[in-house]
């Protein structure tokens, strides 16, 4: 088994590095164009061309669908009436994603879904930013194309707003800090990939108890997500993202996409939901949740997770997991808010910014126990929700997981997590 881990580790890292090397080269190429202080139009054009090359390297001829989405989205922004550009662009992008579900085979769509979603999110953000006067006007054709197809985040993400993209194109000098954050992100990506592909399969084989197996499968899936997140941090910093301007001095501060420690050692499901992908959380919070909050918190949460499910495409497993996470987070937040008021203690789902207002602080022994129990509950939910991300057949992993597969995996675990969530809801009603 030790030989398996060693061989898996070496082969996985070497193959992955060869796979992403062209992406790294093109991101560094964009940084070089910006450092030589090329005219603004040239920088946007370089971003567009290098982004198209990156997409071609990964998906070949399907790059045309990225171009079509960019054209459709930009046309919608131009033709939509004032104060309706965000809504119109949202409808167009979601309709395009739904159409792709019908055009592509499941394997093909699974290959490009995440990258198409990034282009859609960028387009939608432009519409709402113009509606809310965060942008004074719609960017020009070249600026828009360079933004939505930027090589820094064309494949792995993360979502960035247009003003952040403009920061990438500045001639900010490189430094030891820049190099440190590139190496750091790349090292963490390698660590996460090794854990996902090699460590968990090496520690636990297929014959373990079903809940231990569920935990292993979920952990392997989570670490594959961290791999993509840290890889996106690497390409982003390579391209010039992560420069921080502050009163104490400008410096390279890196990019944070996922907060692994908050997911692996969660305080609550609320913390999991916000730390899983902070860029996507920013998008959903800014462009879906806040506008929908006038309908009420619960309705806004439902709309937010419904929008997230639509952006991910017609995939039952992802939709079911997303809605479950949303409901779990909402139920837990309600319960712990009530408990905090009843006990006058720091047991909220989020860490209090004003703990001094509570009589019993975080370090009181019984407060520690309560928070630890909720952390254990979150780990239990994560094991259950991640259990369907497992398939004996590689074809199933390439195609995506069906409703039947998802429900069968949860049925194998007696739908325990959903029953516990229902019990949590009943307790919150009774308090």
């Amino acid at each position: 088994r030790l030989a398996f881990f060693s061989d898996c580790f070496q082969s996985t890292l070497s193959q992955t590095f060869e796979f992403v090397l062209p992406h790294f080269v093109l991101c560094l190429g964009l940084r070089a164009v910006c450092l030589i202080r090329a005219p603004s139009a040239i920088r946007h054009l370089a971003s567009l061309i290098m982004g198209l090359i990156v997409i071609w390297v990964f998906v070949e001829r399907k790059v045309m669908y990225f171009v079509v989405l960019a054209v459709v989205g930009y046309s919608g922004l131009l033709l939509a009436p004032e104060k309706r550009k965000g809504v119109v662009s949202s409808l167009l992008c979601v309709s395009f994603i739904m159409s792709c579900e019908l055009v592509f085979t499941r394997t093909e769509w699974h290959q490009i879904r995440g990258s198409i979603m990034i282009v859609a999110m960028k387009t939608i953000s432009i519409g709402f930013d113009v509606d809310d006067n965060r942008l004074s006007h719609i960017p020009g054709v070249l600026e828009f194309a360079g933004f939505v197809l930027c090589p820094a985040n064309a494949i792995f993400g993360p979502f960035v707003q247009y003003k952040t993209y403009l920061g990438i194109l500045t001639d900010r000098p490189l430094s030891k800090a820049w190099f440190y954050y590139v190496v750091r992100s790349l090292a963490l990506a390698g660590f996460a990939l090794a854990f996902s592909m090699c460590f968990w399969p090496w520690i636990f084989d297929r014959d373990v108890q079903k809940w231990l197996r569920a935990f292993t499968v979920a952990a392997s899936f989570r670490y594959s997500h961290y791999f993509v997140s840290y890889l996106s941090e690497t390409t982003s910093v390579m391209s010039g993202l992560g420069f921080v301007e502050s009163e104490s001095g400008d410096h390279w501060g890196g990019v944070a996409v996922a907060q692994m420690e908050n997911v692996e050692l969660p305080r609550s499901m609320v913390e999991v939901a916000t730390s899983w992908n902070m860029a996507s959380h920013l998008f959903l919070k800014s462009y879906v949740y806040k506008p929908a909050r006038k309908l009420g918190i619960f309705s806004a949460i439902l709309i937010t997770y419904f929008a997230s499910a639509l952006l991910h495409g017609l995939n039952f497993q992802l939709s079911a997991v997303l809605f479950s996470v949303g409901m779990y987070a909402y139920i837990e937040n309600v319960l712990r808010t009530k408990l905090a008021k009843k006990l006058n203690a720091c047991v909220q789902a989020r860490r209090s910014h004003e703990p001094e207002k509570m009589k019993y602080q975080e370090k009181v022994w019984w407060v520690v126990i309560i928070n630890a129990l909720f952390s254990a509950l979150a780990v239990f939910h994560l094991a259950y929700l991640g259990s369907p991300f497992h398939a004996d057949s590689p074809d199933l992993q390439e195609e995506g997981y069906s409703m039947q597969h998802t429900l069968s995996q949860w049925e194998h675990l007696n739908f325990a997590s959903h029953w516990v969530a229902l019990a949590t809801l009943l307790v919150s009603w009774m308090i």
Side-chain angles (χ1 to χ4, degrees):
R1 295 181 69 182
L2 186 59
F4 161 77
F5 177 74
S6 178
D7 293 343
C8 175
F9 180 78
Q10 293 178 10
S11 62
T12 298
L13 291 185
S14 62
Q15 291 173 14
T16 302
F17 182 76
E18 291 176 7
F19 185 63
V20 300
L21 182 59
H23 194 174
F24 292 166
V25 172
L26 288 163
C27 289
L28 291 172
L30 177 60
R31 185 89 295 263
V33 169
C34 298
L35 287 174
I36 63 174
R37 299 185 178 181
S40 176
I42 298 299
R43 299 184 193 191
H44 290 294
L45 182 61
S47 178
L48 169 60
I49 293 174
M50 292 180 185
L52 289 173
I53 295 173
V54 165
I55 297 171
W56 173 270
V57 168
F58 282 87
V59 302
E60 297 181 343
R61 294 183 180 181
K62 289 187 281 293
V63 66
M64 62 176 289
Y65 290 94
F66 290 78
V67 176
V68 171
L69 176 56
V71 171
V72 170
Y74 192 69
S75 300
L77 290 171
L78 292 178
L79 298 175
E82 295 295 324
K83 302 300 181 182
R84 291 292 181 270
K85 297 185 183 298
V87 173
V88 171
S89 60
S90 299
L91 292 175
L92 286 174
C93 289
V94 170
S95 298
F96 183 87
I97 290 173
M98 297 299 104
S99 300
C100 287
E101 292 271 4
L102 303 176
V103 172
F104 290 111
T105 64
R106 291 177 63 184
T107 301
E108 290 174 329
W109 178 233
H110 191 66
Q111 182 184 13
I112 68 170
R113 180 183 61 209
S115 301
I116 285 287
M117 184 176 69
I118 293 295
V119 176
M121 291 165 69
K122 289 180 177 180
T123 304
I124 293 169
S125 71
I126 289 283
F128 281 108
D129 284 345
V130 172
D131 287 344
D132 296 337
N133 298 317
R134 288 188 288 266
L135 287 177
S136 60
H137 62 279
I138 298 173
V141 175
L142 193 57
E143 289 84 354
F144 175 82
F147 168 53
V148 298
L149 299 173
C150 179
N153 39 43
I155 298 297
F156 302 111
F159 160 77
V160 295
Q161 295 170 311
Y162 183 69
K163 289 183 178 179
T164 303
Y165 160 72
L166 294 179
I168 294 176
L169 302 186
T170 59
D171 57 351
R172 293 160 177 164
L174 305 184
S175 65
K176 291 181 180 179
W178 174 85
F179 181 75
Y180 164 77
Y181 282 109
V182 168
V183 173
R184 173 185 176 275
S185 297
L186 189 58
L188 288 171
F191 164 80
L193 180 64
F195 262 65
S196 174
M197 300 297 294
C198 306
F199 180 76
W200 293 113
W202 176 61
I203 292 295
F204 300 114
D205 58 30
R206 296 169 181 263
D207 299 325
V208 297
Q209 195 268 345
K210 64 180 183 180
W211 275 102
L212 188 57
R213 179 62 181 162
F215 175 84
T216 305
V217 169
S220 180
F221 167 72
R222 292 198 304 275
Y223 276 84
S224 69
H225 167 73
Y226 303 144
F227 162 67
V228 173
S229 298
Y230 288 126
L231 200 58
S232 71
E233 290 183 13
T234 304
T235 56
S236 296
V237 177
M238 280 183 174
S239 301
L241 192 65
F243 194 80
V244 180
E245 297 179 350
S246 64
E247 295 180 358
S248 58
D250 300 344
H251 62 281
W252 288 98
V255 178
V257 178
Q259 291 183 309
M260 181 173 65
E261 65 278 8
N262 289 346
V263 179
E264 294 303 302
L265 298 171
R267 178 184 177 88
S268 65
M269 287 301 294
V270 175
E271 193 169 68
V272 170
T274 57
S275 300
W276 180 256
N277 188 320
M278 291 184 290
S280 294
H281 174 69
L282 170 65
F283 172 85
L284 293 169
K285 181 179 179 180
S286 300
Y287 304 112
V288 183
Y289 179 76
K290 285 184 177 179
R293 193 169 182 179
K294 59 187 177 183
L295 302 175
I297 294 179
F298 182 72
S299 297
I301 290 174
L302 284 179
I303 292 171
T304 300
Y305 282 92
F306 180 69
S308 179
L310 288 177
L311 287 170
H312 281 85
L314 298 173
N315 183 292
F316 175 82
Q317 182 186 28
L318 287 175
S319 299
V321 171
L322 287 170
F323 273 110
S324 296
V325 169
M327 291 303 97
Y328 290 4
Y330 175 77
I331 292 169
E332 182 181 359
N333 187 56
V334 171
L335 173 60
R336 295 181 71 170
T337 299
K338 289 183 176 180
L339 282 177
K341 291 180 179 178
K342 291 277 186 179
L343 302 175
N344 197 12
C346 294
V347 295
Q348 304 96 321
R350 296 175 183 268
R351 293 186 185 278
S352 176
H353 295 297
E354 299 177 324
E356 65 278 359
K357 290 186 176 182
M358 294 293 180
K359 181 178 179 180
Y360 300 102
Q361 306 293 306
E362 295 274 356
K363 295 183 179 181
V364 176
W365 68 269
W366 58 268
V367 174
V368 171
I369 291 175
I370 291 175
N371 287 327
L373 288 174
F374 277 108
S375 294
L377 180 62
V379 172
F380 163 77
H381 285 316
L382 287 173
Y384 173 87
L385 293 175
S387 62
F389 291 92
H390 158 72
D392 294 325
S393 169
D395 293 336
L396 185 57
Q397 291 179 322
E398 292 180 3
E399 294 176 2
Y401 303 96
S402 65
M403 178 175 69
Q404 182 180 2
H405 170 80
T406 302
L407 293 178
S408 66
Q409 293 295 318
W410 284 346
E411 182 181 19
H412 182 61
L413 299 175
N414 307 114
F415 297 102
S417 177
H418 286 98
W419 286 115
V420 170
L422 178 60
T424 306
L425 177 62
L426 295 176
V427 171
S428 71
W429 283 346
M430 291 186 293
I431 293 180

